[in-house]
Amino acid sequence: MADGTLRAGGKVPSTRALAAAFGVSRTTVTAVYEQLAAEGFIVTAAGRVARVASQLAPAAPSKPGRRAPPQTTLSAYGRRVENMAMTAMTSGKPLRVDFLYGAVAARDFPALAWRRAHQAALLQHQHRLYYEPPEGDASLRRAVQGYLARARGLLCEAEQIVIVHGSQQAIDLCARVLLDPEDAFAFENPGYLMARRCFEATGAKLLPVPVDDLGLDTTQLPEDRSVRLVYTTPSHQFPLGAMLPIGRRQELMRWAARRQAWIIEDDYDGEFRYGQRPIDALHAIDTQGRVIYIGTFSKALSPQLRLGYLVLPPELVPVFRQAKRLSDRHAPVLEQRALATLIDSGAYERHVRRVRRENERRRSALLDAIAQHLPADARVVGTAAGLHVVLWLPMVRQQDEAAVVAAAREVGVGVYPVSPLYAGPPGRKKPRPAGLIVGYASLDVEQIRKGVRALAAVLHRLVHAGGQGRAVQQAGDFVEPLPRAPGRIAQP
Amino acid sequence: MADGTLRAGGKVPSTRALAAAFGVSRTTVTAVYEQLAAEGFIVTAAGRVARVASQLAPAAPSKPGRRAPPQTTLSAYGRRVENMAMTAMTSGKPLRVDFLYGAVAARDFPALAWRRAHQAALLQHQHRLYYEPPEGDASLRRAVQGYLARARGLLCEAEQIVIVHGSQQAIDLCARVLLDPEDAFAFENPGYLMARRCFEATGAKLLPVPVDDLGLDTTQLPEDRSVRLVYTTPSHQFPLGAMLPIGRRQELMRWAARRQAWIIEDDYDGEFRYGQRPIDALHAIDTQGRVIYIGTFSKALSPQLRLGYLVLPPELVPVFRQAKRLSDRHAPVLEQRALATLIDSGAYERHVRRVRRENERRRSALLDAIAQHLPADARVVGTAAGLHVVLWLPMVRQQDEAAVVAAAREVGVGVYPVSPLYAGPPGRKKPRPAGLIVGYASLDVEQIRKGVRALAAVLHRLVHAGGQGRAVQQAGDFVEPLPRAPGRIAQP
């Protein structure tokens, strides 16, 4: 039938004849004919001869290699996304010391507690398994509400919380629900690339807002009528690490009120502040319902869990729930319940404190090693919080940043260029030195020391090969004042 | 500072004075000042008097109740989604017997095997935890590839597979990547509402294609130039249950080639075919790379896992990977690895066979009870496969469908109206009887019998209260030929 030997509408052999011809039992042939009939290849009726279905066409003879590839018709979103550059951080050969930002140490994960909590969730009685509400498990939302009040000074109702698949989905939902192609969005420059890409994918216009040593420069927020939102990381600016001071926070709030704009506060590593207690979320001073707060468990537990949450102004709750339901129904139930158990039992906060101490040790080792091995004018910023720092290298020109990164990879050290996180035209007014993002949460203290020593050797070699004109600039060539490290405050 | 008592730029008391005034230690006050300085409330410098930050503005006195709600500016997508009707199936009072479609029995879930597989995934060594590629875990993609070849006659490369958060996300990604507001999409009528809503949310135009007793009526596929895709459920049409015969499958392929359109094949319950072996996926006859196949683990394992997958034409792989990465990075790693272990060990397919037998028993009980208790002209369709049937009630008019559903709920029986799954203008040419969707996968045999008996009593009462003019129509009033049950084929 497929190749036309039996033509459409024609008779097929009787089951008896075919069984005889192939030497198989008639039961077998009958079963085959039933299957063929069920699939619509043949038409049968009691007492009549079976026939090939009349609308059946033999497949056109295939001409391998000659078939034209189908014309791809993507949506505008699909076309924008298809060729979007996103940094693939983990390609290439394995590294001895990888200062990969966003990675956490596997041994920091509370595997035993997670296993127990997951098992308890599995044993929790349900008489049937069905879809859950899109906003997520009620017990987890209550647990997150309590945690936010205790740890982040953020008071909200559990109804304002929507559990999502990590902060990436939170950002994506904001982009879809709030931005049209004719809109604009304000964005920290430099800023978190995967968030910028989400907003850009909507077709909306990027309005970069400079970041200085105090974080987002709120005096430069755009007054365009088309601006709908600003994305910001006030607890620990990504990547430069400043904590947005209260004056700017207030200015940001006034701007949002004036522009009727939303503030998306991505509190991606708010748990990790060293020395002082963690700063309250920006959300805590929001009296107008303009702040959309995004939290994640990627840093404190694991980026592979894919669990995060939104805290929404009440008026946005219905539309985000609908959008979440259409996107993927809801977050997986067992993981949500396991996490709720972890938080409710206090184990999550004990774990956060333990991991914070662990990361404080890593951070100290990193800063000590940098002070000891790197040239004196290397500047480290963003050290007061988080799981990474930015290392400015005034002895290396910005255009040689990639060469430093490549040379470090050659000796098995992974560091990451800061330049891709800058938006805007290449023709900048002031030159900027090379900058490296150095994450430390996945490494142990010994690796960190080794890595910095190797990086220092690479820099030394590159700078002193200066005569050959590659990846080199003498220290002191830069006129731009370097970002000050935040948090260095003299005693009153 | 917040209420203006200490004005911007003004001095704050010395630590010594404040400590004396409050009777606390100077260390405490110093710690407080450090925190205030870190948050930017005060400016300090060694040897100088600390001052209130100059840009600090006291909060405007709040006038509760007078604050105007913020003007909500949603995207076009947000506005479309905000008020979209989606059937909330599980609201209302608890039911004694709930024929809820999409639910599965909790005791069918292989909890022990899942726990072991999950535990093994937890113990699998990783030196760090970082984001995985958006297409999902390589071991799971290979496992799914093998499963599809064995169980669904679908041959593909593991590279064509993208693991997603359930079929809902697969559908949503298709909608985003393939549809613009000026496009159109063909859709089974009646069809799966949550898929239709996803496509409608893009702003694209719905072109309903009638479904008859053989499934999607491929002679009525639209020839509009703007049509980009068709969504179809060829293994077991949702909700009416037909299996699309081979002739129509071929016609669908020719239409897609002619219109350069994509075919989205949602194989939502392809594992559950009774009597015959499961029919091969439509994808198996796709020689042009036009079919996007969607599979899910919601029916065979649990809808709460939120795991499914796409099998993509090679040319669409890059854009779907990018879209998945922007949407939420990737599916959770532990669950993916647990599932891969389950499939690779053979436990998954043993489980599917066991659950298929279980559901075959439920189905038999349902069909027997319907034959025994419901009026003789009640017609059941879609029985050859899947986890639900549609029950047509010629003795009840379509406009009284909701009254039957409500009356059943009154006696504790959940059945679901078929009408919301029909798209298109209310003024239909031919009347249609009331139809109920009856899911059985979450119930035991005894519940099913009880539920059907109770439903029969409800129908009897409603029909014989006919004199009162409510929810009533005598049998035989309908002229429209009722859908034939598929799969009733005489022996050749």
Side-chain angles (χ1 to χ4, degrees):
Chain A
M1 287 180 272
D3 67 9
T5 308
L6 291 176
R7 66 188 165 67
K11 287 179 197 171
V12 296
S14 73
T15 52
R16 187 186 306 268
L18 203 68
F22 283 93
V24 295
S25 95
R26 206 177 152 194
T27 318
T28 304
V29 176
T30 303
V32 168
Y33 274 29
E34 281 176 25
Q35 184 77 24
L36 286 170
E39 299 194 18
F41 281 95
I42 63 175
V43 176
T44 61
R48 300 240 209 105
V49 172
R51 288 177 179 276
V52 178
S54 57
Q55 69 278 62
L56 203 69
S62 69
K63 305 185 187 81
R66 288 218 31 222
R67 178 168 72 80
Q71 185 193 320
T72 303
T73 48
L74 299 181
S75 66
Y77 175 86
R79 290 193 304 273
R80 281 189 295 265
V81 162
E82 190 173 30
N83 298 309
M84 211 166 232
M86 292 183 237
T87 41
M89 300 268 236
T90 49
S91 60
K93 68 171 189 177
L95 297 166
R96 285 186 307 140
V97 180
D98 194 355
F99 290 106
L100 179 65
Y101 169 72
V104 303
R107 67 181 167 80
D108 285 354
F109 184 76
L112 187 63
W114 186 256
R115 196 182 88 190
R116 281 189 189 139
H118 189 268
Q119 202 158 317
L122 253 176
L123 293 174
Q124 220 168 311
H125 177 71
Q126 296 190 74
H127 70 288
R128 70 177 179 204
L129 304 172
Y130 188 60
Y131 303 108
E132 291 282 304
E135 63 269 23
D137 189 73
S139 64
L140 179 56
R141 288 184 293 115
R142 278 194 305 272
V144 167
Q145 176 197 26
Y147 169 76
L148 287 173
R150 292 189 297 276
R152 309 294 297 120
L154 193 162
L155 301 176
C156 68
E157 302 297 322
E159 285 64 40
Q160 289 174 259
I161 296 173
V162 174
I163 307 294
V164 292
H165 287 298
S167 57
Q168 189 66 35
Q169 186 176 48
I171 294 164
D172 188 47
L173 287 173
C174 290
R176 294 181 87 172
V177 165
L178 303 175
L179 286 180
D180 275 322
E182 58 274 20
D183 294 334
F185 64 99
F187 199 86
E188 294 177 337
N189 193 29
Y192 178 45
L193 190 64
M194 286 291 285
R196 169 147 64 89
R197 292 295 189 227
C198 256
F199 297 122
E200 287 175 331
T202 65
K205 189 179 164 198
L206 166 68
L207 301 174
V209 182
V211 168
D212 62 17
D213 55 342
L214 295 176
L216 184 74
D217 184 352
T218 47
T219 63
Q220 299 200 47
L221 282 163
E223 297 292 340
D224 304 46
R225 295 184 66 86
S226 62
V227 68
R228 291 283 164 271
L229 60 89
V230 61
Y231 170 90
T232 182
T233 49
S235 300
H236 186 233
Q237 201 277 331
F238 189 80
L240 299 185
M243 197 272 295
L244 198 69
I246 183 71
R248 289 197 177 182
R249 289 176 186 231
Q250 291 176 340
E251 189 163 20
L252 184 56
M253 289 293 167
R254 288 192 298 269
W255 172 86
R258 192 164 65 241
R259 292 264 56 85
Q260 301 275 7
W262 303 105
I263 299 168
I264 299 177
E265 173 181 25
D266 189 351
D267 197 15
Y268 65 102
D269 64 4
E271 301 89 348
F272 297 101
R273 190 154 198 96
Y274 311 112
Q276 271 122 4
R277 73 178 277 272
I279 303 297
D280 280 358
L282 178 62
H283 192 286
I285 63 158
D286 177 24
T287 57
Q288 313 164 70
R290 283 271 149 215
V291 173
I292 298 170
Y293 176 92
I294 296 177
T296 177
F297 296 97
S298 290
K299 301 295 179 288
L301 287 172
S302 164
Q304 301 186 346
L305 280 185
R306 313 309 308 126
L307 283 172
Y309 50 89
L310 287 152
V311 182
L312 294 159
E315 59 169 332
L316 287 181
V317 168
V319 65
F320 272 80
R321 286 185 181 181
Q322 290 274 75
K324 172 66 180 162
R325 190 200 297 260
L326 280 182
S327 297
D328 56 10
R329 295 265 189 180
H330 59 76
V333 171
L334 290 174
E335 287 69 38
Q336 289 190 74
R337 293 198 179 152
L339 186 50
T341 306
L342 221 58
I343 299 175
D344 286 339
S345 69
Y348 177 71
E349 274 149 279
R350 279 196 304 278
H351 167 74
V352 169
R353 283 194 295 274
R354 190 177 66 76
V355 179
R356 191 187 293 138
R357 283 193 300 271
E358 204 62 53
N359 281 313
E360 197 154 9
R361 269 192 284 275
R362 292 174 180 131
R363 168 180 160 276
S364 297
L366 177 68
L367 299 183
D368 290 351
I370 288 173
Q372 194 181 338
H373 300 292
L374 288 194
D377 53 354
R379 299 292 301 268
V380 194
V381 300
T383 60
L387 306 173
H388 76 281
V389 300
V390 168
L391 185 59
W392 290 113
L393 301 171
M395 72 297 290
V396 182
R397 289 172 308 180
Q398 190 198 332
Q399 52 266 49
D400 295 325
E401 197 179 85
V404 174
V405 170
R409 285 196 97 80
E410 274 304 304
V411 300
V413 175
V415 285
Y416 298 86
V418 77
S419 290
L421 307 189
Y422 281 85
R428 295 179 77 257
K429 276 146 284 172
K430 287 201 242 173
R432 182 171 77 219
L436 303 176
I437 305 175
V438 182
Y440 50 82
S442 72
L443 301 173
D444 63 38
V445 163
E446 201 39 57
Q447 286 177 302
I448 290 170
R449 288 187 190 126
K450 259 190 222 161
V452 172
R453 275 199 303 270
L455 182 65
V458 165
L459 280 172
H460 184 83
R461 184 160 51 76
L462 285 176
V463 171
H464 290 276
Q468 292 152 42
R470 194 172 155 278
V472 177
Q473 174 146 349
Q474 292 309 311
D477 276 6
F478 285 93
V479 288
E480 183 182 32
L482 287 168
R484 273 196 294 130
R488 292 184 309 150
I489 286 127
Q491 301 295 318
Chain B
M1 287 180 272
D3 67 9
T5 307
L6 292 175
R7 66 188 165 68
K11 287 180 197 170
V12 296
S14 71
T15 52
R16 187 185 305 267
L18 203 67
F22 284 95
V24 296
S25 94
R26 204 177 151 196
T27 317
T28 304
V29 176
T30 302
V32 168
Y33 273 30
E34 280 174 28
Q35 183 78 24
L36 285 170
E39 299 193 20
F41 282 95
I42 63 176
V43 177
T44 60
R48 302 242 208 102
V49 172
R51 288 178 180 274
V52 178
S54 58
Q55 69 277 62
L56 203 70
S62 68
K63 306 187 187 79
R66 287 217 32 223
R67 176 169 72 81
Q71 184 192 320
T72 304
T73 48
L74 299 181
S75 66
Y77 175 85
R79 290 193 303 274
R80 281 190 294 266
V81 160
E82 189 173 30
N83 298 309
M84 210 167 233
M86 292 182 236
T87 40
M89 300 268 238
T90 49
S91 59
K93 68 171 188 178
L95 297 166
R96 285 187 307 142
V97 180
D98 193 355
F99 290 104
L100 179 64
Y101 170 73
V104 302
R107 68 181 167 80
D108 285 354
F109 184 75
L112 188 62
W114 186 256
R115 196 182 87 190
R116 282 190 188 138
H118 189 270
Q119 203 158 317
L122 254 177
L123 293 175
Q124 219 167 308
H125 177 72
Q126 296 190 76
H127 69 286
R128 71 178 178 203
L129 303 171
Y130 189 59
Y131 302 109
E132 291 283 304
E135 63 270 22
D137 189 72
S139 64
L140 179 57
R141 287 184 294 115
R142 278 194 302 274
V144 167
Q145 176 197 27
Y147 169 75
L148 287 173
R150 292 189 297 276
R152 310 295 296 121
L154 191 161
L155 302 175
C156 69
E157 302 295 322
E159 284 65 41
Q160 290 174 259
I161 296 173
V162 174
I163 308 294
V164 292
H165 287 299
S167 57
Q168 189 67 36
Q169 186 176 47
I171 294 164
D172 189 47
L173 287 173
C174 290
R176 294 181 87 172
V177 165
L178 304 175
L179 286 179
D180 274 322
E182 59 274 18
D183 294 334
F185 63 99
F187 199 86
E188 294 177 337
N189 193 28
Y192 178 47
L193 190 64
M194 285 292 283
R196 169 147 64 90
R197 293 294 188 229
C198 256
F199 297 122
E200 286 176 331
T202 65
K205 189 181 165 196
L206 165 68
L207 301 173
V209 182
V211 168
D212 63 17
D213 55 343
L214 296 175
L216 185 74
D217 185 351
T218 48
T219 63
Q220 299 200 48
L221 282 163
E223 297 292 338
D224 305 46
R225 296 185 66 86
S226 62
V227 69
R228 291 282 165 271
L229 61 87
V230 60
Y231 170 90
T232 182
T233 49
S235 299
H236 186 232
Q237 200 276 333
F238 189 80
L240 298 185
M243 198 272 294
L244 198 69
I246 183 71
R248 290 196 176 183
R249 289 175 185 232
Q250 291 176 341
E251 190 163 19
L252 184 56
M253 289 293 166
R254 288 193 296 271
W255 171 86
R258 191 165 65 241
R259 291 264 55 86
Q260 301 275 7
W262 305 104
I263 299 168
I264 299 177
E265 174 182 23
D266 189 351
D267 197 16
Y268 65 103
D269 64 4
E271 301 90 347
F272 297 101
R273 190 154 198 97
Y274 310 113
Q276 271 123 3
R277 73 178 277 272
I279 304 295
D280 280 358
L282 178 62
H283 192 285
I285 64 158
D286 177 22
T287 57
Q288 313 165 70
R290 284 271 150 217
V291 173
I292 299 170
Y293 176 92
I294 296 176
T296 178
F297 296 98
S298 290
K299 302 295 182 287
L301 287 172
S302 163
Q304 301 186 346
L305 280 185
R306 312 309 308 127
L307 282 172
Y309 50 90
L310 287 151
V311 183
L312 294 159
E315 60 171 330
L316 288 182
V317 169
V319 65
F320 272 80
R321 285 185 182 181
Q322 290 275 73
K324 171 66 180 164
R325 190 200 297 261
L326 280 182
S327 297
D328 56 11
R329 296 262 190 184
H330 58 76
V333 171
L334 290 174
E335 286 69 36
Q336 289 189 76
R337 294 198 178 154
L339 187 49
T341 306
L342 220 59
I343 298 175
D344 286 339
S345 69
Y348 177 72
E349 275 150 280
R350 280 196 303 279
H351 167 75
V352 168
R353 283 195 294 275
R354 191 178 66 74
V355 179
R356 191 188 294 137
R357 284 193 300 273
E358 203 62 55
N359 281 313
E360 195 153 10
R361 269 193 284 277
R362 292 174 179 130
R363 169 181 161 275
S364 297
L366 177 68
L367 298 184
D368 290 351
I370 288 173
Q372 195 181 340
H373 298 293
L374 288 194
D377 52 355
R379 298 293 300 269
V380 192
V381 298
T383 60
L387 305 173
H388 76 282
V389 299
V390 168
L391 184 60
W392 290 113
L393 301 171
M395 71 298 290
V396 182
R397 289 172 307 181
Q398 190 199 331
Q399 54 266 49
D400 296 325
E401 198 179 85
V404 174
V405 170
R409 284 197 99 80
E410 274 304 304
V411 299
V413 175
V415 285
Y416 297 86
V418 78
S419 291
L421 307 189
Y422 280 85
R428 295 180 77 259
K429 275 147 285 172
K430 287 202 244 171
R432 182 172 76 221
L436 302 177
I437 305 174
V438 182
Y440 50 81
S442 72
L443 300 174
D444 63 38
V445 163
E446 200 39 58
Q447 285 177 303
I448 291 172
R449 288 187 189 127
K450 259 191 220 162
V452 173
R453 275 200 302 271
L455 182 64
V458 164
L459 281 172
H460 184 83
R461 185 161 50 77
L462 285 175
V463 172
H464 290 276
Q468 292 153 43
R470 195 174 152 274
V472 178
Q473 174 145 350
Q474 292 310 312
D477 275 5
F478 284 93
V479 287
E480 182 181 33
L482 287 169
R484 273 197 293 129
R488 292 183 309 151
I489 286 126
Q491 301 295 316

